[in-house]
Amino acid sequence: MNTREKVFEMMNHLTEEGLTLGRVVTEQRGSYMVMTKTGEGLRKVSGKLRFETVQREDLPAVGDWVLLGGEGSVIEKVLPRTSKFSRKKAGNEAEEQIIASNIDTVFILSSLNDDLNSKRLERYLLLCWESGANPVIVLTKSDTCTDIEKKKREVEDTLLGVKVITISALNQDGIEELMPYLAEGKTVALVGSSGVGKSTLVNLLVGYDVQKTKEIRESDDKGRHTTTHRELFLLDNGASIIDTPGMREIQLWQGQEGLSTHYHDIEELALQCRFTDCQHEDEPGCKIRKAIEEGALSEERLEHFQKLQREIAYMERRGNKRLESLERKKWKNIGKQRKLKY
């Protein structure tokens, strides 16, 4: 029994009678490359699934387990997701973009150069807490850095309680620390800016070059965009990794749960304020202002928390309006179909 067959044997409980279990590997212009126990092939969603779709998240995404009908030729059903890493789709539209689903761990990559930005990593972290997956910060290209421990501590101090690992794919330093997350049957998604080394790490873990790579530009230390689509790879040990394109903008889709996880210290202090609607400015009995005065909390941390709160609230309002519109369209279409039928 080969590795693919073993993985599908482990997930056999998801299969329904008369249907074939598959997993989405890539999305290609409305079609999906789907892996099954016997191989891979392009599949389209069934007309029924397409008709019942209310929003984009109802359709398959990379990492989804799906059921195939029509002798394995069409996707009939997307199985419930155990987790999903999403962001707001680029542009003005209030629409969710699922980056990867059914993932156990998210490796948030950033290179140890001048582009290292803890605040940017924090936004990835909030999306990860919201996804239901476990976050791990991976600082890459340690072979190019002379103050590794200093930069690692800076990230750890900003992203409290999150595992931080430094690696060099070139020298294979630190790679062994990643392996516990890549056990048989587990799925890891790689996210981060262009040029941080996602594709290089994928090639190293897979064992041969499956992704194109480029060096970062020396002029500004910025990465070059190489990966153009999300793709799942199955490792020899039965783990799966999902490579993703570099994200130019990280807009939060949802994030209240992630915000509560990452800023639990502020939320706990806010519960102790004298007034339930305290704005934490100059109100008497404000525990947050007291913590700032005593040096237990920084003004910068509070300001960043409030900024993220406003962004999440804004996206939730826009998202709710969009869902209401989509629901109206759905029932309008159903009404049309009934008229045509009768």
Side-chain angles (χ1 to χ4, degrees), residues 220-243:
D220 58 6
D221 238 6
K222 301 290 185 180
R224 300 182 184 181
H225 195 75
T226 50
T227 302
T228 57
H229 61 277
R230 296 174 289 281
E231 185 168 0
L232 181 146
F233 299 94
L234 186 62
L235 305 187
D236 288 340
N237 70 342
S240 298
I241 52 175
I242 299 176
D243 192 13

Side-chain angles (χ1 to χ4, degrees), residues 125 129 155-162 261-262 264-265 301:
L125 185 60
W129 286 130
V155 173
E156 288 174 334
D157 290 344
T158 303
L159 310 178
L160 303 174
V162 181
T261 301
H262 189 53
H264 62 89
D265 55 334
R301 183 167 171 80

